[in-house]
Amino acid sequence: MSNKSYPIKENSIVMKVQGGEQKVMKKILTVALSTAMAFSMFASVAFGDSAVSVQDKYNSLEAKGIFNGYPDKQAHLERDMTRAEFAKVLTKLLGLKEVTGTLSYKDKGYDAKNWAVPYIEAVTAAGIMEGQDKVKQIFNYNGKVTVEEMATALVRALKLEVPANADNSASTWAKGYVQVAIDKGLIAKDINFQANATREQLVTAAYQADQIINLSVKEYKIAENGKDIEFTLTSGEVVKVTLEKALEPNKETEVKFKTSAGQEITAKVTWVVTAAQKIVSASGTNYKEVVINFDGELDQQTAENADNYKVAEFTKLESATLSSDKKSVTLLLQEDSKLSSQKTYNLKVSGVKNAGGTKTFNETVQFSAVDTQLPQVKEAKALGTKAFKVVFSEPVTQTTARNLANYKVDGKNISGHVDYTYPNIAFITTDLSVGKHTLTVQDVQDYANFKVAPVETDLTVAEDTAAPEVESVKATDLTKVEITFNESVKSISKVYHTSSSKNADYKIKDNKLILTFDKDKQLSLGENTIYVDGVTDYSGNSANRQIKVTPELDTTRPTVAGVTSEVDGDVTKITVEFSKDVNATDIANRENFTLKKENGDIFSGKGFDTKGHPVNVPQFAVSKYNNEKLKNKVVLTTIGKLPSGKYTLEVAGVRDNTAIGNTIVPQSVSFTATEAGNIELNSAWYTIDEDNNYVVNVQFNKPVVTTGSGNALDVNKYNYVVGSTYYPFPSTSTEIKLYSSNTVQLTVPRKDVKVDFDAGNVSIRAINISDADGNFVSDKTVSLKDRKASRIEVDKDSVQATAKNKVVADFKGELTRLYASDFEFTIGGKTYNSSDFSATIVNASAGKTSVEFKFYNDVIPANSGVTLKTVAQNDIRSVDGYGRTLEAIVSAPVADKIAPELYTANNANPLSASIGTSTVGGATYYEAELTFVENVKVFYTSAAFKVAVNGNYADTVGARVDGNKLYVQFKSDVKVGDIRNLEVYLNGNANGKFVVDEAGNAAEDFRTSVTR
C-alpha cells in the first residue's frame, strides 16, 4: 500500500486526453469524524464493492445529479458516451460551478438552449477539457471518448499515482493511466481500451471516482496502546496508522494519514479510555480523610489496599475506599492521627492499577487539608425497635458522638447508651415505638471543632425479626477477610474457618465484619468455609452463618520506588523506599543489598565489605513523629561518610508481607551521595520596626538558592504556626529578601498577621527550599523568638573529641566574638576552664560557626567521657553580628572521635609473642593477638589484613575481638615452635573501617612485628 505524500487538504485534479494540454485545478478534501469503535483486529484491504450492480451505481449517481436519463426515462447504458455527457459527469463529479452567459465554442446548436453548454463551459473554465479544433473553436460535444482517454482524464483529475511501468494493451501514452484505472476499479482489465467508452463504463468509472473524491472514514479502531489506529474508509480501503506517541485519552485529536493512492485525509479521533491514566488531584476536605481523584476507573483490589498509599509521616492508614464510579479513592487516617490545617503533605501512591491493569501508578502528589464544612447528618436509620444509627457526612470525634445528650427523639431526651464506630457512625441503643419519629442531632463535632447544626430528621421505626444475612465476602490475602451483611451488626460470639481452633481476631464496622487470622491459622489457597457464630443485630436477632470464600491474593511484587542518601553526623544513611511493606527478615539479610560504583564496580569500605554488602545490619526507618517502624523504608548506615558521587544499589531477595510473600525482581537503582548534610532551619527571630511591621529573620544552616524549584524567596513557602494551625504569610503585603547567604528576611505588617508573635507560642515553617547542591530543607519548625530572647544554640551532635587535647563544636549561627571564658569542661570529675585551654573560631559562615578548643595537655581519655558546659546565661559574652548571645549549655556530652590506638605504653609491644589457635569453619588456625588502648570491633575482609611468618606471607582467614584484644587468624605450614618472626599489617582502614572502636572510629593503618 503506497503512502507517498501529496499536499494536505488539496488534490490536483487533472484531465489530459491524447494530444491535449495539462491543466490543473484544486479541490479541497477534508474529513471529520465523530464515532469511535474499540480496537479488535486489523482487516485486509478492499477496494470498491463488487456486489453493487451497474444499475445500482447509476441510481446512486442519478440521485446525486451526476447522471440523468434520456427523455424516454431510460439510462441507455449500452450507448457510447459523448463528450457532452462526459463534461457533465466531470462537472458534477468534481463539484464545479456551472457557467452560464458564456459561449466559448461555435459548434452548430451550441447556444444557451443547449443543455450541455453550462457543463462544457465549466470544464473549459477549469482547464479540464478544451475544444478539438482550437482554430475553428469547435468542441464537438457529440463526439465520442475512448476508454483510455476517459481513464487518463479521471486518473489525472483524481491525482492518482501513476506507475512508471505497466503491462496492458492500452496505447503507449496511456498504459500507466489505464493500469491505475484498472487497479482502482475505474475500468475493467479485459476490455478494448481504444474503443469508445460506453455509458455503462462511464457509470462504473464515475461511481468509483465519486467514492475516491468523497472518500471519508467510515469507522476507526484504536488499539489499547493508543498509538495504532485502523481506519476503514468509505471506499472499503483499510489504512493502518502508527503514531509516534500515544493519543491523549478521552480527548478529540486530529490525525493525518494517506491512502494507498497518496490521498491525504485529516480525521478527528477520540481514544475513549475508561481506565484511569493519571491522577487528577488529591485533597483533604477534612482532617481525617484524603480523596484522590483519577481520570478513569481503577482496579478495586489494588485501589483498596491501604498499604499502597503513604501519607507523609503517618505510618498506617485505617482504610482505602474506592468510590462507586471507581474513579476516586478515599483514604482514612487512623483514629489517633490527624491532618494539620493548610499544611502541605506528600502522598505517595504505589502499586495501584487502573481497570484492566494497563497502568500502575507509582508517583507522589501533594495536597493540603482545609476544612470549611460543617458536619451533617447523612443518614438516620432505625434498627428495629431497640436502636437507631446516625451516619455523619465526615469523621466526627468519639467524645461528642458518644454523648447521649446530643440526640433527642420527638424533642425529648432519651435514655440508653451510644456506641461509636470510627470514623462517622453512632449507634444509639434505646427503646422506640413503631411508627414515625423526629430525630434531633446537635453539638456533634468534627476534627476541626465544627459542630453539626441542630437538625431534625425523620426516623421511621418498624419491627425487625430477621437475623443479619451475608451479602458478600472478599479475602484479599490468606490472613484478611471482609464480610458484608445486609444490616448493622451489633455483635458476634465467634468466627473461625475449618475448625474452631483456627479463629480470627475481628472488628465490627457497621455492617462489615473484618477478620484477621494469624499466619498459623491462615486460609488455604482454595475455597474456604468461614463460620460466624452468633451474628446479632440491634434488635437481638441472632443466627449462625457460613460463608465460602476463595482468597484473591495480592500477587504484585514489591519494587524499589527510590533510593536516597543523607549525611547524619559522621555517617551516611542510605534509604531504600519500597512500593509496599516488606519482610523484616529479608531486609536484615545484608546479602540482599549490594552497593556499586557508577561504573559498575563493587564498592567496598565505609561499612561495605569486599562484596559490596553492608556491614551494619539494615534496619527499618523510624517515623520521626511517633517512632513507629516504616516497613516500606529500609536504612543502610555506613561507617563514615560515603564519598560524594553516583552509585547503584542492587536489591534482591526481598519479599512483601503478604501470605504468599511476593519476591522482588532483582532491581538496580541509581542515587547520588553528597558529603554535605541536609539543609535545615537553624533559628528564627523577629523585631518590630518603626512602621509597626514584624521583621522576621529565618536562618538556615547552609546558603540557600533564590532561583528554580528551591527558591527561598517565595513567600508562599513560609508559614507561622500555632499548635497544629499553619498560617501563610500574606503574599500581597509581605516583603521578602535575602539578608545574608543563609538568612531570609520577611517584613509583614502586624495588622496582617492573625496571631501575636509576642505571645511566645509561635513557630516558623519553611518548605521546598534548597541549597546549591539540590538538597531540600526537611519539614520541621523552629520557635520564633524576639531577637532579644533569641540565642545561638550549640549543635550537640557536633561536639566531638578528635584528639587527646582537642574538642571541636559547631554553633547554629555566625559568631563574631568568642570568649573561652564562656566555657568549661568536665573530665573524669575534674573541671577545666579557660586557663586550661584556648577557644578559636575556625570558620563562621553559612549560618554555622566551627570552634576548636585546644587543651594545653593531653587530658582527654580514649573513650572521652567528657562534657561541655557554659557559664550562666547572663555571664555569656560571645555574640553574633545580630547581637544574639550563645544559648547557655547545661551539659553537652563530648562524642568520642579519637581513633583507637595500639597499646604501646612503657614501650610495650602491642603484638603478643604468644601464638594461639582458633577453629574457623571446622578447621584449626593460628591466631595473632594485638592489644589496643580501648575496646574495639572488627569487620573482617581478607584484603585488609596481612600476616607474615618468618618473612613469608601467610593466608589470613578471619578475625575476632575480645574487649581490647584483636585476634587475626591465619594458616601456615610452619610449626608454631618454628615461628621466629611474626608480622601483622592493617591496610586501607581509613576508608574501610574494618577495625573501629565502640564509637565507630577507625584505627590507623599499622605494621607491627614481634620476634620470638
Side-chain angles (χ1 to χ4, degrees):
M1 184 181 298
S2 173
N3 259 338
K4 294 184 179 179
S5 64
Y6 278 90
I8 187 65
K9 294 186 179 179
E10 295 182 345
N11 268 358
S12 295
I13 300 178
V14 182
M15 176 182 178
K16 179 181 180 182
V17 295
Q18 183 180 8
E21 298 180 358
Q22 180 172 307
K23 301 287 182 177
V24 180
M25 68 162 290
K26 308 282 188 172
K27 178 177 176 63
I28 306 298
L29 295 178
T30 60
V31 182
L33 302 179
S34 61
T35 59
M37 297 180 64
F39 178 83
S40 57
M41 58 182 288
F42 288 137
S44 59
V45 178
F47 301 104
D49 188 349
S50 58
V52 181
S53 68
V54 176
Q55 187 61 49
D56 288 338
K57 294 176 181 179
Y58 175 82
N59 294 340
S60 174
L61 295 173
E62 184 181 36
K64 292 185 175 183
I66 297 175
F67 273 87
N68 288 112
Y70 283 88
D72 62 1
K73 298 183 180 181
Q74 298 299 312
H76 291 294
L77 300 180
E78 76 284 357
R79 295 181 180 179
D80 290 345
M81 170 181 63
T82 66
R83 284 171 55 82
E85 291 170 342
F86 195 34
K88 177 183 177 182
V89 168
L90 287 175
T91 300
K92 295 293 186 178
L93 196 62
L94 303 178
L96 303 179
K97 183 179 180 180
E98 298 170 19
V99 177
T100 58
T102 299
L103 295 173
S104 302
Y105 301 103
K106 297 182 178 178
D107 294 65
K108 184 177 179 181
Y110 192 86
D111 54 34
K113 294 180 181 180
N114 191 321
W115 66 269
V117 167
Y119 307 115
I120 294 172
E121 294 295 336
V123 295
T124 300
I128 298 174
M129 296 183 73
E130 60 184 15
Q132 285 188 339
D133 188 335
K134 294 181 180 180
V135 176
K136 296 181 179 180
Q137 294 180 295
I138 301 299
F139 183 80
N140 190 14
Y141 57 84
N142 285 321
K144 310 301 182 184
V145 179
T146 66
V147 172
E148 58 189 15
E149 288 174 341
M150 176 186 71
T152 300
L154 287 172
V155 166
R156 287 176 173 172
L158 297 175
K159 199 172 185 180
L160 300 178
E161 196 167 337
V162 179
N165 299 306
D167 184 15
N168 55 59
S169 60
S171 301
T172 302
W173 63 268
K175 282 184 179 292
Y177 299 103
V178 167
Q179 192 60 52
V180 175
I182 293 170
D183 294 342
K184 296 304 176 186
L186 297 174
I187 60 176
K189 65 179 181 180
D190 53 358
I191 60 175
N192 183 355
F193 305 119
Q194 288 82 19
N196 292 336
T198 65
R199 283 173 56 81
E200 178 179 339
Q201 291 169 332
L202 178 59
V203 166
T204 298
Y207 181 84
Q208 192 62 20
D210 183 57
Q211 294 291 305
I212 295 172
I213 291 173
N214 295 295
L215 190 62
S216 64
V217 175
K218 183 179 180 181
E219 62 183 27
Y220 62 84
K221 304 170 184 178
I222 303 175
E224 289 183 357
N225 62 10
K227 295 176 64 176
D228 295 322
I229 309 175
E230 177 188 284
F231 291 97
T232 299
L233 306 180
T234 52
S235 65
E237 180 181 354
V238 175
V239 180
K240 304 173 189 178
V241 176
T242 298
L243 306 177
E244 291 183 1
K245 63 179 182 178
L247 296 165
E248 185 175 341
N250 303 315
K251 177 182 178 181
E252 188 177 70
T253 306
E254 191 175 85
V255 176
K256 296 180 180 181
F257 64 94
K258 292 177 181 177
T259 68
S260 61
Q263 184 175 340
E264 187 160 351
I265 294 186
T266 300
K268 292 181 179 179
V269 301
T270 301
W271 184 27
V272 179
V273 178
T274 58
Q277 300 297 315
K278 65 180 179 181
I279 297 174
V280 177
S281 64
S283 60
T285 56
N286 61 67
Y287 298 151
K288 301 291 283 186
E289 295 176 311
V290 182
V291 178
I292 315 169
N293 295 308
F294 295 80
D295 67 344
E297 297 177 1
L298 298 173
D299 165 64
Q300 184 165 357
Q301 183 176 356
T302 57
E304 293 193 333
N305 184 350
D307 290 337
N308 288 339
Y309 310 89
K310 301 295 177 185
V311 181
E313 67 267 22
F314 304 105
T315 54
K316 280 288 184 181
L317 296 172
E318 183 73 16
S319 64
T321 305
L322 185 63
S323 62
S324 58
D325 65 2
K326 297 186 177 183
K327 293 183 179 181
S328 65
V329 178
T330 300
L331 307 179
L332 175 64
L333 273 61
Q334 293 187 321
E335 191 167 2
D336 58 356
S337 302
K338 177 184 173 183
L339 298 170
S340 297
S341 175
Q342 299 186 36
K343 180 179 178 180
T344 301
Y345 291 94
N346 287 330
L347 166 60
K348 178 138 187 98
V349 182
S350 304
V352 176
K353 296 180 179 180
N354 67 358
T358 59
K359 180 179 178 63
T360 300
F361 293 93
N362 292 292
E363 56 189 277
T364 299
V365 295
Q366 290 188 327
F367 72 95
S368 297
V370 180
D371 190 348
T372 59
Q373 301 293 320
L374 297 178
Q376 298 177 357
V377 174
K378 183 179 178 180
E379 178 189 10
K381 181 178 181 180
L383 307 175
T385 58
K386 296 181 179 180
F388 63 91
K389 75 174 181 181
V390 179
V391 181
F392 294 92
S393 59
E394 63 176 292
V396 292
T397 64
Q398 181 172 174
T399 303
T400 59
R402 293 190 65 178
N403 187 345
L404 189 62
N406 289 338
Y407 308 91
K408 294 181 180 181
V409 176
D410 298 328
K412 298 177 182 178
N413 293 327
I414 55 178
S415 60
H417 69 275
V418 182
D419 291 322
Y420 168 78
T421 295
Y422 179 73
N424 64 333
I425 305 177
F427 293 94
I428 299 90
T429 300
T430 187
D431 290 332
L432 298 167
S433 60
V434 173
K436 292 187 177 181
H437 298 272
T438 299
L439 171 67
T440 304
V441 182
Q442 61 186 17
D443 293 337
V444 176
Q445 294 182 355
D446 65 12
Y447 286 85
N449 297 323
F450 294 140
K451 295 181 180 180
V452 62
V455 60
E456 292 185 350
T457 305
D458 291 336
L459 188 66
T460 301
V461 178
E463 290 280 357
D464 178 10
T465 59
E469 298 280 354
V470 174
E471 281 191 340
S472 64
V473 60
K474 65 179 179 179
T476 57
D477 192 66
L478 298 181
T479 60
K480 298 176 182 178
V481 179
E482 181 180 295
I483 303 172
T484 302
F485 292 88
N486 64 340
E487 61 175 314
S488 300
V489 175
K490 185 176 183 180
S491 65
I492 68 169
S493 59
K494 189 175 185 179
V495 59
Y496 57 93
H497 78 91
T498 309
S499 66
S500 60
S501 63
K502 294 185 177 182
N503 60 306
D505 294 328
Y506 64 87
K507 288 182 180 179
I508 298 174
K509 288 198 165 187
D510 193 13
N511 64 329
K512 295 183 185 296
L513 181 62
I514 301 169
L515 311 181
T516 303
F517 292 93
D518 293 336
K519 288 214 167 184
D520 59 346
K521 300 177 182 179
Q522 68 185 24
L523 302 173
S524 65
L525 291 172
E527 186 178 75
N528 299 263
T529 300
I530 296 177
Y531 301 88
V532 186
D533 293 347
V535 184
T536 306
D537 63 18
Y538 280 85
S539 293
N541 302 304
S542 182
N544 298 335
R545 301 299 184 198
Q546 295 181 16
I547 313 102
K548 293 185 182 298
V549 62
T550 300
E552 297 179 9
L553 299 183
D554 176 3
T555 58
T556 303
R557 297 176 184 267
T559 60
V560 176
V563 177
T564 57
S565 71
E566 64 178 358
V567 173
D568 185 6
D570 284 339
V571 301
T572 300
K573 291 188 175 180
I574 303 170
T575 300
V576 186
E577 183 175 356
F578 292 89
S579 60
K580 59 202 307 191
D581 289 355
V582 290
N583 183 278
T585 301
D586 293 347
I587 67 104
N589 185 349
R590 291 173 291 190
E591 292 184 359
N592 287 338
F593 303 90
T594 304
L595 186 64
K596 293 185 176 182
K597 301 175 184 177
E598 184 180 13
N599 64 3
D601 293 343
I602 292 292
F603 178 88
S604 62
K606 298 297 182 182
F608 289 86
D609 64 22
T610 53
K611 294 183 179 180
H613 304 319
V615 170
N616 291 324
V617 177
Q619 305 285 336
F620 281 124
V622 176
S623 170
K624 57 189 174 183
Y625 297 93
N626 56 16
N627 292 321
E628 288 188 15
K629 290 182 179 179
L630 302 173
K631 294 184 179 180
N632 71 316
K633 289 186 179 181
V634 177
V635 178
L636 313 181
T637 303
T638 64
I639 301 175
K641 293 180 182 179
L642 199 64
S644 296
K646 294 182 178 180
Y647 297 85
T648 296
L649 184 68
E650 295 183 353
V651 184
V654 177
R655 294 168 294 172
D656 60 19
N657 285 327
T658 60
I660 61 174
N662 301 297
T663 304
I664 191 172
V665 174
Q667 190 173 350
S668 298
V669 181
S670 300
F671 70 96
T672 301
T674 62
E675 296 188 64
N678 279 347
I679 179 174
E680 294 181 351
L681 284 174
N682 258 359
S683 55
W685 67 93
Y686 72 94
T687 59
I688 300 174
D689 67 13
E690 60 186 10
D691 295 322
N692 203 29
N693 297 316
Y694 282 127
V695 180
V696 179
N697 291 275
V698 182
Q699 190 173 82
F700 299 85
N701 66 335
K702 299 171 70 176
V704 293
V705 299
T706 56
T707 59
S709 60
N711 181 12
L713 298 184
D714 183 350
V715 69
N716 296 308
K717 295 182 177 182
Y718 298 85
N719 298 93
Y720 54 96
V721 185
V722 178
S724 60
T725 303
Y726 291 71
Y727 298 98
F729 282 87
S731 57
T732 55
S733 60
T734 301
E735 295 181 5
I736 186 169
K737 67 179 182 180
L738 196 66
Y739 189 83
S740 65
S741 65
N742 67 308
T743 304
V744 174
Q745 190 175 84
L746 300 98
T747 302
V748 56
R750 292 181 71 184
K751 64 180 178 60
D752 292 342
V753 176
K754 297 182 179 180
V755 300
D756 183 4
F757 287 177
D758 295 333
N761 61 342
V762 182
S763 297
I764 292 294
R765 174 185 183 236
I767 59 170
N768 298 328
I769 293 168
S770 73
D771 60 17
D773 295 322
N775 301 306
F776 281 80
V777 65
S778 55
D779 188 2
K780 295 180 180 178
T781 61
V782 293
S783 296
L784 178 64
K785 298 179 180 179
D786 186 303
R787 186 194 61 79
K788 296 176 183 178
S790 178
R791 306 276 187 251
I792 299 174
E793 299 177 356
V794 66
D795 181 355
K796 290 188 177 182
D797 292 335
S798 72
V799 184
Q800 304 169 351
T802 57
K804 293 179 179 179
N805 68 335
K806 189 192 303 183
V807 173
V808 296
D810 292 337
F811 293 86
K812 298 178 181 180
E814 298 172 21
L815 294 171
T816 54
R817 285 182 288 171
L818 178 72
Y819 295 90
S821 58
D822 289 341
F823 303 92
E824 294 179 350
F825 288 90
T826 301
I827 305 175
K830 181 179 177 181
T831 299
Y832 294 79
N833 56 34
S834 58
S835 62
D836 302 303
F837 59 83
S838 62
T840 306
I841 295 176
V842 178
N843 182 55
S845 62
K848 181 177 76 173
T849 300
S850 298
V851 175
E852 179 182 276
F853 301 94
K854 196 162 187 179
F855 289 84
Y856 302 126
N857 297 294
D858 291 345
V859 296
I860 302 174
N863 57 358
S864 186
V866 181
T867 57
L868 168 67
K869 66 178 182 178
T870 62
V871 296
Q873 184 70 67
N874 292 337
D875 295 329
I876 293 175
R877 296 187 296 156
S878 299
V879 295
D880 70 356
Y882 300 98
R884 299 184 302 150
T885 60
L886 291 177
E887 180 78 30
I889 304 170
V890 177
S891 178
V894 179
D896 173 17
K897 293 299 176 182
I898 303 173
E901 299 176 349
L902 290 170
Y903 183 81
T904 58
N906 301 320
N907 295 319
N909 191 334
L911 178 59
S912 174
S914 176
I915 299 175
T917 59
S918 178
T919 301
V920 179
T924 301
Y925 301 101
Y926 292 134
E927 279 191 338
E929 178 187 303
L930 298 104
T931 303
F932 285 82
V933 297
E934 59 181 307
N935 292 347
V936 292
K937 296 188 289 186
V938 65
F939 303 96
Y940 174 76
T941 180
S942 59
F945 297 92
K946 291 186 181 298
V947 173
V949 175
N950 296 341
N952 297 314
Y953 284 122
D955 293 332
T956 59
V957 294
R960 67 182 182 90
V961 295
D962 184 5
N964 67 332
K965 303 287 188 180
L966 169 65
Y967 298 92
V968 180
Q969 297 145 351
F970 63 96
K971 63 180 180 179
S972 174
D973 294 333
V974 181
K975 295 181 179 179
V976 67
D978 294 334
I979 298 177
R980 297 287 176 256
N981 183 266
L982 181 67
E983 300 170 75
V984 180
Y985 304 82
L986 176 65
N987 299 308
N989 200 49
N991 287 329
K993 292 197 171 185
F994 308 112
V995 178
V996 298
D997 62 16
E998 292 183 337
N1001 303 302
E1004 293 184 359
D1005 289 355
F1006 59 75
R1007 175 178 181 176
T1008 184
S1009 63
V1010 63
T1011 301
R1012 305 173 72 240

